[in-house]
Amino acid sequence: QVQLVESGGGLVQAGDSVRLSCAASGLTFNTYGMAWFRQAPGKEREFVSTISRSGMTLSADSVKGRFAISRDNARNMVWLQMERLKPDDTAVYYCNRPVPQWDWGQGTQVTVSS
């Protein structure tokens, strides 16, 4: 089965930078696009950013210009570099393929204080 393990989150100040990591296993990683999603308390999970097998990236308007997704197929890893964090970025962050999603991992909590 596909396993997705997110890490790197924590409590940070507004304006700070954080890099989230996603380790994937149980799949032929380089055959899939990958993406980051996030879910704030009481809200639906939302799309954040995606990266194709060829390295094309697309991000939600709310994070465009601040977040950057990257991948290393040899390491089965996806990262999300987050810059100039805002309190509205507070959420649990998950990695997965864009559509359809595999079973979700535990995610990693990012809390941004104002």
Side-chain angles (χ1 to χ4, degrees), residues 18-68:
V18 173
R19 188 177 73 160
L20 306 182
S21 297
C22 170
S25 61
L27 72 161
T28 306
F29 182 76
N30 64 359
T31 66
Y32 298 98
M34 293 294 291
W36 285 94
F37 304 82
R38 66 186 182 186
Q39 186 170 25
K43 295 185 177 181
E44 297 292 323
R45 183 182 289 109
E46 66 175 347
F47 164 79
V48 175
S49 188
T50 187
I51 184 167
S52 73
R53 295 176 295 166
S54 62
M56 180 271 183
T57 63
L58 181 68
S59 296
D61 288 343
S62 59
V63 307
K64 194 171 298 181
R66 299 189 298 118
F67 293 6

Side-chain angles (χ1 to χ4, degrees), residues 64-106:
K64 194 171 298 181
R66 299 189 298 118
F67 293 6
I69 189 171
S70 60
R71 68 189 296 164
D72 185 338
N73 292 337
R75 298 172 61 188
N76 286 17
M77 294 286 294
V78 186
W79 295 273
L80 184 68
Q81 180 69 39
M82 306 188 294
E83 307 282 351
R84 304 189 304 280
L85 283 162
K86 306 175 180 179
D88 285 350
D89 296 321
T90 295
V92 178
Y93 285 73
Y94 303 87
C95 63
N96 215 314
R97 64 176 167 176
V99 287
Q101 284 85 50
W102 297 297
D103 288 346
W104 299 94
Q106 294 298 306

